[in-house]
Amino acid sequence: MGYEPLVNKNPLRVLKIGTEGAGELGLVMARAGLGKTAILVQFALDCMLLGNKVLHVSIGQSVDKTRKWYDDILSLLTDGEKIESIPAIMQNRMIMTFKVAAFTRSRLEERLNDLVLQDIFRPNCLIVDGFDFENADRETLEDIKNLMETMNMQAWFSAICHRGDTRISPA
C-alpha cells in the first residue's frame, strides 16, 4: 500500500508537525486514559511520513509498550498494514525510555548528543510522553526549549491534568 493518502490528506498538517518551528514546544493535555499517547503517536507518524526523523521519549514505559502504540495506530490507519512494510517509519523513528526519576534535561541532552555526534540518529522532532509538568519548574522548561532551539528541533509533550486544574481553562 502506498502511504501518500496518509501524508496528503492528514488533517494534522495544519499543526505543521516536524516541518517548521525549531524550538517550538507543543503540549497535549488531558486526564488519564483519554488518548494523549495515541495523539502523540499520530503526530510522530505524520512527521515520519513527511521524511522527518522522530525521537519518541517514553518516560515510565517500556520500549515494547511504546512500539505497540505505533503498531496499533498504524494498523488502524492503513487497514492492517505492518509497520515493517513502510520504510519511512522504520528508518525515521527511534524510541528511547527513561525511568520517571531519571529524566532530566541534562540526561536528555547527553543522549541526544551521543546519537547525533556518533551519526546514529539526528531527530527533527521530539515526542516526550509522560513528562512530569506538575513538578517541573519554569527554568527546566526554558532549558528544554533552549535545547530544542540549539538542536533545531521541535518537541511535543503530554501532560496529565485533573478536574479543576488551574493550568487550563474550560472550552
Side-chain angles (χ1 to χ4, degrees):
M1 174 188 151
Y3 57 85
E4 292 80 16
L6 292 175
V7 175
N8 298 329
K9 296 181 180 181
N10 194 332
L12 294 176
R13 189 74 54 246
V14 73
L15 297 175
K16 300 181 187 320
I17 298 164
T19 60
E20 58 186 58
E24 296 293 319
L25 305 179
L27 175 64
V28 175
M29 193 173 192
R31 292 194 303 270
L34 293 180
K36 294 176 297 298
T37 300
I39 193 72
L40 288 178
V41 168
Q42 289 180 58
F43 288 176
L45 286 169
D46 184 57
C47 188
M48 289 181 283
L49 290 170
L50 289 171
N52 297 305
K53 295 189 180 293
V54 174
L55 175 62
H56 188 123
V57 173
S58 185
I59 301 173
Q61 290 190 8
S62 69
V63 171
D64 289 337
K65 188 168 185 177
T66 303
R67 187 179 297 127
K68 183 152 177 39
W69 274 105
Y70 282 88
D71 293 342
D72 291 348
I73 290 172
L74 187 65
S75 179
L76 289 170
L77 293 173
T78 61
D79 294 326
E81 192 86 12
K82 298 290 182 197
I83 203 164
E84 295 82 19
S85 66
I86 304 178
I89 293 174
M90 292 303 293
Q91 66 193 17
N92 289 330
R93 175 193 72 182
M94 180 172 281
I95 299 171
M96 182 183 292
T97 61
F98 285 90
K99 293 181 181 176
V100 174
F103 183 82
T104 63
R105 185 260 194 212
S106 60
R107 284 197 178 119
L108 174 63
E109 181 177 18
E110 181 182 337
R111 285 183 157 183
L112 274 169
N113 283 332
D114 286 346
L115 292 172
V116 172
L117 293 174
Q118 295 175 36
D119 202 25
I120 296 169
F121 193 78
R122 182 173 217 355
N124 306 92
C125 183
L126 176 70
I127 302 289
V128 182
D129 193 13
F131 183 74
D132 184 6
F133 278 92
E134 289 187 50
N135 294 315
D137 58 13
R138 184 176 188 89
E139 185 177 321
T140 300
L141 296 173
E142 287 175 2
D143 281 348
I144 291 173
K145 181 172 177 50
N146 290 337
L147 175 63
M148 294 299 99
E149 288 172 353
T150 301
M151 299 200 78
N152 197 29
M153 297 170 58
Q154 64 175 222
W156 286 87
F157 293 83
S158 68
I160 293 177
C161 65
H162 309 283
R163 284 198 172 108
D165 198 324
T166 59
R167 297 173 294 175
I168 58 172
S169 60

